[in-house]
């Protein structure tokens, strides 16, 4: 997905129940594709859906975590 296509802020605040519904949809879609929603990804998704973090911040966090994991793998 092109990062430019990702909404940068919520159109409205979601209720806690709506956040859970959105997370359930994300989790289901990933599982259907054979991928699990890891705790760090769920935490970031929850923060974005709750308006506590922007999509840009979540993407930057994911990119940094991926780079750190790749660095750890190459050090072994």
């Amino acid at each position: 997905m092109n990062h430019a296509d990702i909404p940068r802020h919520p159109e409205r605040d979601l209720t806690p129940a709506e956040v859970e519904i959105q997370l359930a949809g994300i989790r289901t879609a990933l599982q259907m594709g054979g991928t699990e929603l890891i705790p760090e990804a769920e935490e970031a998704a929850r923060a974005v859906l709750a308006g506590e973090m922007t999509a840009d911040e979540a993407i930057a966090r994911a990119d940094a975590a991926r780079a750190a994991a790749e660095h750890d793998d190459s050090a072994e």
Side-chain angles (χ1 to χ4, degrees):
M1 171 178 263
N2 184 341
H3 289 200
D5 295 336
I6 299 171
R8 295 303 186 229
H9 55 82
E11 292 183 19
R12 64 178 177 82
D13 290 339
L14 299 177
T15 67
E18 290 172 321
V19 168
E20 293 305 317
I21 290 167
Q22 294 296 319
L23 283 172
I26 293 167
R27 189 178 301 107
T28 300
L30 287 171
Q31 288 173 345
M32 290 174 69
T35 303
E36 294 295 319
L37 183 63
I38 63 171
E40 296 85 356
E42 182 171 339
E43 179 183 319
R46 186 181 303 281
V48 171
L49 289 168
E52 299 166 356
M53 179 188 304
T54 67
D56 289 329
E57 291 167 333
I59 291 166
R61 181 182 289 186
D63 288 344
R66 185 173 21 263
E70 289 172 358
H71 179 271
D72 290 345
D73 287 344
S74 68
E76 292 178 358

